[in-house]
Amino acid sequence: MIRNRFLFDNLKSDIHNGGIFMAQSILIVDDEKEIVSMLYCYFSKLGYTVYTATAGNAALKEVEKKPDIILLDVNMPDIDGFTVCERIRDYVSCPIIFLTARIEDSDKIKGFSIGADDYVIKPFSVDELEARIAAHLRREKRHNTSSKVQFDEDMVIDYSSRIVFYHNKDMAFTKKEFDIISFLLQNKGIVFDRETIYEKVWGLDGIGDNTVVTEHIRRIRAKFLSLGDRPYHQCS
């Protein structure tokens, strides 16, 4: 389902009319050169800075350019998209959207569990892809508007750099782990079920199984326990 189309049309209007707009960047990774070429032309015309790669190893190098969002094909000849996502997720916080012909639930769950933010199934509508990218980038902009917030004497979150400091130590979290921690800390004292956390963190445009929340909570708990303290989570 495509939402907020009006807002995206306003964004395009700002680009074309010379409004104040900081060009955002997209990394497109797909071994089908026709798809890469088509998406490159499409998003370049919208004012995006576009980086491309047609193989997993090349994608790992392009990630160093710090794109604002990544479109990542699952099936590639050298390193598949799942492996690329796993290798970069601990230090790349931008949204990752998988482009894939796979439709099995097990593939979707695997993708979400390793840090993917969304799935777009081939063949896809460019309009839908465009709207999903805009939605993710708007969400990222909202998350990054705040700076450091201290939640108690031990916990500080830096929203601009998306880093959690605990006992003055910075902790490495994936994008979704960070979003879950941020959501729970903003609602301290409230117990949430998986469905609620999934809706609040993945958003109404999220697709997949909310059981992926359990895996993310497990990883968060393990990282806090590695510091010898209780995990910050409230999930039933």
Side-chain angles (χ1 to χ4, degrees), residues 176-208:
K176 286 304 181 189
E177 290 169 356
F178 179 92
D179 290 343
I180 290 171
I181 292 170
S182 176
F183 169 68
L184 293 179
L185 284 175
Q186 291 174 36
N187 296 276
K188 291 179 66 174
I190 303 175
V191 177
F192 295 100
D193 57 23
R194 291 184 314 197
E195 289 77 9
T196 301
I197 294 176
Y198 185 82
E199 178 181 332
K200 296 297 183 181
V201 174
W202 272 260
L204 295 177
D205 291 325
I207 58 175

Side-chain angles (χ1 to χ4, degrees), residues 53 68 90 92 131 168 187 219 226 235:
D68 294 306
D90 282 341
V92 170
N168 295 320
N187 296 276
R219 294 184 182 184
S226 70
C235 175

Side-chain angles (χ1 to χ4, degrees), residues 216-233:
H216 282 75
I217 293 292
R218 184 192 67 77
R219 294 184 182 184
I220 292 169
R221 177 188 296 132
K223 290 177 180 179
F224 278 109
L225 288 177
S226 70
L227 296 180
D229 211 322
R230 64 182 178 85
Y232 274 71
H233 79 283

